[in-house]
Amino acid sequence: MLYVLIAEEVVYTDDPPRSHPLLLPPSTPEPNPTRIAPPAPEIAGRVTCCSGGRGGVAVGCDDGTVGLLDRGFRLSYGFQAHASSVLFLQQLKQRNVLVTVGDDDQSSSQSSAKCLKVFDLDKVQEEGSSTTNPFCVQILRVFTDHFPQAKITSFMVLEEAPPILLIAIGLDNGFIYCIKGDIARERITCFKLQVEAASYGSTSLPITGLGFRVEGQTHQLFAVTPISVSLFSLHVQPPRRQTPDQIGCQTNAVAMSDRMDLIIGRPEAVYFYEVDGRGPCWVFDGEKKFVGWFQGYLLCIIEDQRTQKGTLNVYDLKNRLIAHSMPVGDVSHLVCEWGYIILIMADKKILCIGEKDMESKLDMLFKKNLYTVAINLVQSQQADPALTAEKFLDAKRIYNLKNYLEKLHDRGLASKDHTTLLLNCYTKLKDVEKLNDFIKDEEGIGEIKFDVETAIRVCRAAGYHEHAMFVAKKAGRHELYLKILLKDLGKYDEALQYISGLEANQAGLTVKEYGKILVEHRPPETVEILLRLCTDVGDPTTRGSNSMHLLMIPSPMDFVNIFVHSSQYLMEFLENHIKAVKDSPAQTEIHNTLLELYISNALSFPSVSQENGFENHNIKETNGKETANGYKSGTREKAIPGKEDTKIAKSIVDRRRKGLALLKSAWTSEMQEPLYDVDLALILCNTHAFKDGLLFLYEKLKLYKEVISCYKQAHDHQGLIACCKKLGDSSQGGDPSLCGDLLKYFGELGEDCSKEVKEVLTYIEKEDVVPPIVVLQTLSKNPCLTLSVVKDYIARKLEQESKLIEDDRKSIDKYKEETELMKREIEDLKTNAKVFQLSKCTACTFTVDLPAVHFMCMHSFHLRCLGDNEKECPECAPEYRSVMEAKQKLE
């Protein structure tokens, strides 16, 4: 870490041990080479505390005033915060709020003069014409009956979720008073913490430093005394205390790192503490008057006990060096703001130190021959290696370096790093002949002796694309070769030709990586290459339906992403693929993608389509039949299409015609399952209001009610009637209840639909699927329908009913006569003897001889002709059984 002094110029004759104090002169040259910013005349009192945050520095004084300094260290404004003295203050970072602790007048002899105040710096209250004070949001007494008074030795504020604050106040008796909550609304809770009950001489242990550590919902508080370090877990109740170490430090020698580790400075060393105890220890001798942390670096102001003079050291712990060291005077406060280290001196002068840029750091280190330090610095600060590498090639010595590296190669002692550095030398010197000889000399020697990617990068950066392509091709790095062709040279045809000569797997990988560029500049040729890859057109011996072979061919879905801005060519690619390959393993995904391309409204001109509102327009097909982009609305407005609109409309109609054809061809009557995802197809058709597709899918899924709903929403009466006739035929597996739904629709339509109702009634009368009374009740709900609509239907139904009634009466009379005849026969059988005079067998027509069986129905049979069934007459049994079955059904 290298620093520039802003407000004072310091000149060194010798470097301190283990340090590299590299300073620039002041940014604005002055006649006097040593200049320190003069004290601000507006700040009259002694500075007792300071804090940085939100682009400003706040200082508190012993006269109770607070001053706010801007970036130029000028006093923006000051105000009287406390009556007597400002002891501590902290400027919050999330909100423009200042929290102070100071002395005020006592309202009574029993109350404490120590008050905590919260100021909103965004709200200023006028107090006369010459002074402005920020608005004081809240005032709290620090000490009460439950919190006895003591000397305040440390102060820290943690911003939780605004407006919640957590304030810790350390005392000289070993206690810590904590205030948590919304202080502005006085919704707070107060509690006390205490470090170990031990004594320090004749007095209790003072709290010399505090530090909050936050990890998610875990809140912890470090508390430092002269002889101990304590850690309180505030997220548990009651707060749990542990003691990581039994050493401590004095006031101002406590800080927190950006990793929320506690830092304490002692005469012998600087110690870091984590949650589980003491961490790394850095041995820096001397009394640590101040300890701080700034952008990953440790700050220490070390005071010489003999001369009472201080020295500011800036430690780069990662690279283990002193990045900056300078003597300072009597420092009263250390604060960091605006990317600078700010030292406020006891005489109220200000010293500001900033960091040098990377180029200046490297230049200074090179002059001191500290190359290892420079390399470590570049790596630790993640600087651009390509830019910093050039600074290591000194133009005065590059020829010597080149000769040295060439000799190493001649003797076979060069490593890959040496070769890479030699290439850098050639490109830096623009020695094309040497570079050409070196590259070609490697030809045919087998393994390349240098790092391929680095060599290609160096040649590309220097503009030697042919050399970079030579190295990439020789090393088999096809992706790098194509990267140069496409991104550097723009030779798209040559790139396509190169890809065509690669093996299938290599070609597939390169197309995946650079396909977007190729599709953008050479779409037809790219589609042709992809078809060869995915259909194996070039090898007729392996073509066919061999499943193992199909699995080895790349799937077209692997290349869909390269068409992200070329949907038209993606559609052509997938169309040609399904024509060439009938049983691809990815056929479901292919059909799904094609359906989305066909059905969606926007393909070639999506923005134009949305701006002109084609989603709600009705489009005319060439045969004159109306088809809907969406469902037809009740009001039919005609738009006058422009030339571009007509082109877009024709594209939508053509694609949707293809989409309907794909829906049907991929789900024929012979297929149990379709070649696409039915749910996805339904979502697409519904989202883009593709009526024809919805009707087909609903019909295939036997969702006849939804089919009817589609026609209803489209207000298509003729289509509705035709659908009911087609899908309502029960003999063909249809749903007869559809006619009832159709009649209900017309009954609730609320408009004159006499023609349609008559047509429906004709079908209902023919098929006899709805009773007349239901017809009348349903149609009576439509006030626009008159009796003349159903007059003829009712007359015919009444005539049919009258005829049926007459037929039923005749049947009743007939059944009565037959019943009376049967009763007489039964009575005759009960009272009179029955004479059987039939001389021939009813079955075989031969003369009846014994043994014979005679039935009461006057049929006679040989016993042998009856077989095993001699209890019923074979002639009358079928009729008898049918009568019994009818009786059972009636019962």
Side-chain angles (χ1 to χ4, degrees):
M1 181 179 182
L2 309 175
Y3 281 86
V4 53
L5 187 64
I6 301 299
E8 178 183 13
E9 180 180 9
V10 181
V11 181
Y12 289 96
T13 55
D14 296 313
D15 291 340
R18 296 187 297 138
S19 68
H20 307 285
L22 309 176
L23 303 178
L24 287 178
S27 56
T28 303
E30 297 286 343
N32 185 359
T34 301
R35 182 180 65 84
I36 300 179
E42 297 89 344
I43 301 178
R46 180 177 60 86
V47 177
T48 56
C49 53
C50 68
S51 173
R54 296 186 65 88
V57 174
V59 295
C61 302
D62 60 355
D63 59 358
T65 60
V66 171
L68 296 174
L69 305 180
D70 60 14
R71 196 181 183 95
F73 301 102
R74 292 179 295 271
L75 185 67
S76 297
Y77 66 92
F79 62 95
Q80 191 73 35
H82 295 270
S84 178
S85 175
V86 182
L87 302 178
F88 296 92
L89 59 80
Q90 183 170 336
Q91 194 169 1
L92 306 186
K93 296 184 181 298
Q94 298 183 34
R95 295 179 296 156
N96 197 14
V97 171
L98 182 69
V99 184
T100 66
V101 174
D103 290 324
D104 282 281
D105 295 332
Q106 292 178 276
S107 59
S108 67
S109 59
Q110 296 179 351
S111 62
S112 171
K114 300 294 190 294
C115 291
L116 183 144
K117 295 186 179 182
V118 180
F119 295 94
D120 188 345
L121 301 181
D122 289 330
K123 298 179 181 179
V124 178
Q125 57 186 8
E126 297 291 338
E127 290 188 357
S129 58
S130 60
T131 61
T132 57
N133 286 351
F135 182 71
C136 184
V137 177
Q138 187 59 265
I139 301 176
L140 296 178
R141 294 289 179 182
V142 176
F143 302 112
T144 63
D145 294 339
H146 299 287
F147 295 87
Q149 184 169 350
K151 181 182 178 181
I152 301 176
T153 56
S154 57
F155 176 74
M156 182 66 64
V157 181
L158 171 66
E159 295 181 84
E160 295 189 17
I164 305 301
L165 299 180
L166 177 56
I167 301 175
I169 302 174
L171 307 176
D172 65 346
N173 57 6
F175 280 92
I176 304 170
Y177 290 173
C178 295
I179 305 171
K180 181 177 181 180
D182 185 354
I183 297 179
R185 300 182 180 180
E186 210 167 347
R187 297 175 181 175
I188 59 175
T189 57
C190 301
F191 56 93
K192 290 187 292 187
L193 304 173
Q194 185 181 13
V195 298
E196 289 182 308
S199 61
Y200 181 57
S202 60
T203 61
S204 300
L205 293 170
I207 305 297
T208 57
L210 297 168
F212 284 106
R213 181 185 180 95
V214 180
E215 290 181 344
Q217 300 298 322
T218 303
H219 292 176
Q220 295 173 305
L221 174 65
F222 283 105
V224 183
T225 69
I227 62 169
S228 70
V229 175
S230 300
L231 178 63
F232 296 90
S233 298
L234 305 180
H235 56 282
V236 296
Q237 293 298 328
R240 185 176 64 251
R241 187 197 69 205
Q242 53 183 320
T243 305
D245 208 347
Q246 292 293 340
I247 61 173
C249 67
Q250 299 299 324
T251 307
N252 295 328
V254 179
M256 296 293 293
S257 72
D258 51 10
R259 296 179 57 187
M260 292 183 290
D261 294 337
L262 177 70
I263 308 171
I264 67 171
R266 290 179 55 81
E268 71 278 5
V270 174
Y271 299 89
F272 284 70
Y273 291 89
E274 300 173 356
V275 176
D276 52 356
R278 185 194 293 181
C281 169
W282 300 88
V283 180
F284 306 133
D285 293 335
E287 185 67 30
K288 313 301 186 298
K289 186 177 180 181
F290 288 94
V291 171
W293 187 263
F294 175 68
Q295 295 183 355
Y297 303 98
L298 176 64
L299 311 178
C300 289
I301 296 180
I302 302 176
E303 188 177 73
D304 191 336
Q305 296 299 320
R306 295 175 300 171
T307 62
Q308 300 296 315
K309 293 183 179 180
T311 302
L312 170 65
N313 287 339
V314 181
Y315 299 97
D316 184 352
L317 302 181
K318 191 169 186 178
N319 294 311
R320 298 177 179 271
L321 57 89
I322 301 176
H324 180 59
S325 180
M326 63 176 292
V328 292
D330 188 4
V331 179
S332 63
H333 296 90
L334 166 67
V335 67
C336 299
E337 186 63 28
W338 305 304
Y340 295 116
I341 303 169
I342 301 171
L343 302 180
I344 299 178
M345 317 306 288
D347 57 0
K348 292 185 286 186
K349 294 180 181 179
I350 297 174
L351 194 64
C352 183
I353 304 170
E355 187 177 6
K356 286 185 177 181
D357 58 74
M358 177 61 71
E359 185 175 357
S360 301
K361 298 176 189 177
L362 293 178
D363 287 339
M364 192 66 73
L365 290 172
F366 292 154
K367 291 177 182 178
K368 296 178 178 292
N369 296 325
L370 298 173
Y371 298 106
T372 303
V373 175
I375 292 173
N376 293 336
L377 184 67
V378 169
Q379 293 175 348
S380 64
Q381 298 193 4
Q382 299 178 349
D384 186 1
L387 296 177
T388 53
E390 293 187 3
K391 304 189 69 61
F392 287 90
L393 296 176
D394 187 357
K396 298 179 181 178
R397 301 180 180 178
I398 193 169
Y399 291 98
N400 297 334
L401 176 62
K402 183 196 70 170
N403 294 333
Y404 169 72
L405 293 172
E406 287 176 345
K407 293 297 182 182
L408 283 179
H409 282 81
D410 292 339
R411 298 185 182 185
L413 302 176
S415 65
K416 291 184 178 182
D417 293 333
H418 291 134
T419 308
T420 302
L421 186 57
L422 180 58
L423 287 173
N424 274 288
C425 292
Y426 287 151
T427 56
K428 189 76 174 178
L429 295 172
K430 301 187 183 302
D431 194 341
V432 180
E433 183 178 356
K434 285 281 188 180
L435 180 63
N436 196 36
D437 291 341
F438 181 81
I439 295 292
K440 290 185 177 180
D441 187 55
E442 293 288 336
E443 189 174 3
I445 299 183
E447 183 183 0
I448 296 177
K449 297 180 180 179
F450 50 85
D451 184 73
V452 173
E453 292 187 6
T454 303
I456 293 174
R457 177 175 54 79
V458 171
C459 292
R460 285 183 65 198
Y464 298 103
H465 298 108
E466 296 297 331
H467 296 81
M469 290 169 59
F470 180 87
V471 175
K473 189 172 184 179
K474 180 181 177 183
R477 300 296 298 271
H478 308 297
E479 72 283 1
L480 295 177
Y481 187 89
L482 288 170
K483 187 176 184 179
I484 300 169
L485 277 177
L486 295 172
K487 294 188 175 181
D488 295 342
L489 303 177
K491 297 182 177 180
Y492 308 109
D493 295 326
E494 187 176 341
L496 288 168
Q497 185 178 1
Y498 184 82
I499 293 174
S500 301
L502 297 176
E503 296 181 358
N505 59 342
Q506 288 290 339
L509 292 174
T510 54
V511 171
K512 286 180 185 178
E513 187 168 357
Y514 299 107
K516 289 182 182 178
I517 301 176
L518 294 172
V519 169
E520 181 182 358
H521 295 89
R522 297 293 186 274
E525 295 82 358
T526 307
V527 170
E528 184 180 351
I529 287 180
L530 286 176
L531 285 173
R532 287 203 300 268
L533 285 174
C534 298
T535 60
D536 203 12
V537 175
D539 190 1
T541 59
T542 58
R543 238 178 287 153
S545 59
N546 188 320
S547 59
M548 290 300 297
H549 177 67
L550 288 175
L551 290 174
M552 296 173 61
I553 298 176
S555 169
M557 301 308 297
D558 296 340
F559 305 98
V560 168
N561 291 334
I562 71 174
F563 295 95
V564 64
H565 301 301
S566 305
S567 301
Q568 181 67 36
Y569 289 100
L570 172 60
M571 185 171 65
E572 294 179 7
F573 169 51
L574 297 179
E575 286 174 346
N576 291 324
H577 182 272
I578 61 174
K579 291 178 183 177
V581 180
K582 301 298 182 183
D583 49 0
S584 170
Q587 59 184 354
T588 300
E589 292 82 359
I590 296 172
H591 282 81
N592 289 343
T593 307
L594 266 178
L595 282 176
E596 188 169 356
L597 291 170
Y598 287 151
I599 296 173
S600 60
N601 292 317
L603 179 67
S604 300
F605 308 94
S607 59
V608 176
S609 174
Q610 293 173 6
E611 289 174 0
N612 289 278
F614 272 87
E615 293 183 1
N616 298 322
H617 287 179
N618 292 331
I619 300 174
K620 302 275 188 175
E621 287 188 346
T622 54
N623 61 3
K625 181 181 178 181
E626 286 189 11
T627 59
N629 239 356
Y631 299 124
K632 294 183 186 176
S633 61
T635 59
R636 304 179 183 180
E637 297 180 357
K638 292 186 178 179
I640 301 175
K643 195 173 201 179
E644 194 66 26
D645 298 342
T646 305
K647 183 178 179 182
I648 299 172
K650 186 178 182 302
S651 171
I652 294 174
V653 171
D654 291 342
R655 284 189 285 111
R656 293 199 167 183
R657 188 181 297 110
K658 290 182 180 180
L660 184 60
L662 183 64
L663 286 172
K664 294 179 178 179
S665 63
W667 195 1
T668 61
S669 56
E670 293 81 10
M671 297 180 181
Q672 295 183 353
E673 296 291 336
L675 299 179
Y676 49 81
D677 188 331
V678 178
D679 293 333
L680 177 63
L682 282 172
I683 292 172
L684 290 173
C685 293
N686 194 38
T687 302
H688 299 284
F690 183 30
K691 174 187 168 185
D692 294 339
L694 278 175
L695 293 175
F696 171 77
L697 292 172
Y698 286 152
E699 187 173 342
K700 291 292 289 186
L701 295 170
K702 299 187 182 301
L703 300 174
Y704 300 141
K705 301 284 187 182
E706 282 73 11
V707 177
I708 295 296
S709 297
C710 287
Y711 284 108
K712 289 179 182 178
Q713 293 180 32
H715 210 71
D716 186 358
H717 293 169
Q718 294 302 321
L720 191 60
I721 295 172
C723 175
C724 283
K725 291 179 179 180
K726 177 183 177 183
L727 303 179
D729 189 356
S730 59
S731 62
Q732 300 297 327
D735 185 0
S737 66
L738 295 180
C739 291
D741 295 340
L742 180 57
L743 203 64
K744 183 179 178 182
Y745 166 73
F746 287 126
E748 298 174 350
L749 188 59
E751 63 181 55
D752 188 9
C753 50
S754 303
K755 181 180 177 182
E756 290 85 355
V757 171
K758 288 181 179 180
E759 188 174 354
V760 175
L761 289 177
T762 302
Y763 178 76
I764 290 175
E765 182 180 2
K766 179 182 176 182
E767 300 295 331
D768 195 20
V769 291
V770 181
I773 186 65
V774 176
V775 172
L776 290 175
Q777 290 174 347
T778 303
L779 295 179
S780 65
K781 298 177 181 179
N782 190 340
C784 298
L785 295 177
T786 61
L787 186 60
S788 61
V789 178
V790 296
K791 178 181 177 182
D792 295 338
Y793 165 75
I794 294 299
R796 288 192 299 271
K797 293 301 292 185
L798 288 175
E799 184 179 353
Q800 291 176 7
E801 294 294 332
S802 299
K803 185 177 179 181
L804 289 175
I805 291 171
E806 185 63 29
D807 292 340
D808 289 342
R809 284 176 181 169
K810 291 179 180 180
S811 298
I812 291 171
D813 294 340
K814 179 183 176 183
Y815 292 150
K816 284 181 178 180
E817 292 176 1
E818 290 178 354
T819 302
E820 290 297 327
L821 180 60
M822 289 180 183
K823 287 180 178 180
R824 288 196 297 268
E825 288 180 357
I826 293 171
E827 185 65 25
D828 184 50
L829 289 173
K830 289 180 179 179
T831 57
N832 300 322
K834 197 72 173 176
V835 179
F836 299 98
Q837 296 179 347
L838 191 63
S839 59
K840 291 185 178 181
C841 175
T842 304
C844 64
T845 68
F846 289 103
T847 303
V848 176
D849 55 2
L850 297 176
V853 178
H854 302 277
F855 292 96
M856 300 300 291
C857 61
M858 302 309 294
H859 291 141
S860 301
F861 297 90
H862 294 113
L863 180 61
R864 65 178 180 275
C865 292
L866 290 176
D868 296 335
N869 189 9
E870 59 183 31
K871 294 184 178 181
E872 62 180 3
C873 174
E875 292 291 324
C876 301
E879 183 180 359
Y880 174 75
R881 280 196 292 269
S882 64
V883 171
M884 294 305 295
E885 289 175 358
K887 181 181 178 182
Q888 291 176 358
K889 289 181 180 179
L890 291 174
E891 290 176 352

